[in-house]
Amino acid sequence: MTLPTRAVAPSFTPQDFRSALGTFATGVTIVTAIDSSGQAVGLTANSFNSVSLSPPLVLWSLARSAGSMPAFARGSHYAINILSAEQRDLAERFAAKGADRFAGVAFREGAGGAPILEGACAVFECFNRSQYEEGDHIIFVGEVERCEQREGALPLIFHGGRYFTELPL
Ligand SMILES: Cc1cc2nc3c(=O)[nH]c(=O)nc-3n(C[C@H](O)[C@H](O)[C@H](O)COP(=O)(O)O)c2cc1C
């Protein structure tokens, strides 16, 4: 028997695929960096996951079409801010087109100038270690230089296209 060398064409629609992916409940992050002119950039992302404990590695993926792609592709560092239950408005703002995303947002500069958002559950300050082109996204693997956690903070949760502050049982 010869083994297949490539996948068969999908038997489902893009809508089916999105819907099935949406059953996987995730946290919500805002990934931030500065661009080549020193301007803060950031977007809402739930593609975050852990990769390795030693060395400490995490990953997330960014649409090739994202406006912030040049900043993340070329920058030395980014910060992954894990949003707390009170930060739903920030999640929505950092996913919306056209908004001045950082207007009125309290943050400090982390490694490489990447904004660290006040009130986040946890923050991973990453060296931009490697990037992998796959389909319509680029997978970023970050090497965590510093991480911090806010004691007692509850996470924001995303499931089925909706935000939750607690998962219903
Ligand atoms: C809950 C949620 C999760 C998202 N996750 C991602 C993600 O992991 N990667 C991505 O490229 N876009 C993701 N998006 C969409 C981006 O936030 C959105 O397209 C944003 O406007 C991109 O900003 P930019 O074009 O300024 O870079 C997500 C949106 C939402 C609401």
Side-chain angles (χ1 to χ4, degrees):
M1 196 186 97
T2 54
L3 293 172
T5 54
R6 55 195 303 165
V8 298
S11 59
F12 47 83
T13 66
Q15 291 81 0
D16 293 336
F17 187 47
R18 280 184 85 95
S19 171
L21 288 173
T23 66
F24 186 59
T26 67
V28 184
T29 78
I30 292 178
V31 189
T32 60
I34 50 169
D35 68 14
S36 54
S37 64
Q39 279 289 111
V41 299
L43 79 154
T44 301
N46 70 340
S47 52
F48 170 77
N49 221 319
S50 53
V51 173
S52 161
L53 289 177
S54 182
L57 303 178
V58 294
L59 68 75
W60 62 289
S61 61
L62 180 62
R64 284 177 188 270
S65 58
S68 52
M69 181 59 83
F72 287 112
R74 296 187 203 127
S76 67
H77 290 79
Y78 46 81
I80 300 175
N81 298 269
I82 311 294
L83 297 190
S84 63
E86 309 91 71
Q87 293 179 308
R88 178 191 174 151
D89 55 333
L90 283 187
E92 289 174 341
R93 188 202 288 208
F94 278 75
K97 290 275 169 226
D100 178 1
R101 292 179 177 172
F102 286 91
V105 175
F107 67 85
R108 63 186 163 83
E109 283 183 15
I116 294 178
L117 306 182
E118 197 170 284
C121 272
V123 180
F124 299 96
E125 295 178 61
C126 300
F127 172 70
N128 192 354
R129 176 178 164 120
S130 57
Q131 299 168 29
Y132 303 88
E133 298 184 16
E134 283 296 348
D136 54 13
H137 278 60
I138 308 287
I139 302 163
F140 285 80
V141 175
E143 184 161 352
V144 180
E145 293 182 347
R146 290 198 289 250
C147 83
E148 64 188 71
Q149 192 181 345
R150 191 158 64 87
E151 206 57 47
L154 293 175
L156 184 64
I157 294 161
F158 193 67
H159 177 243
R162 296 169 59 201
Y163 293 100
F164 295 85
T165 52
E166 276 178 69
L167 269 184
L169 281 181

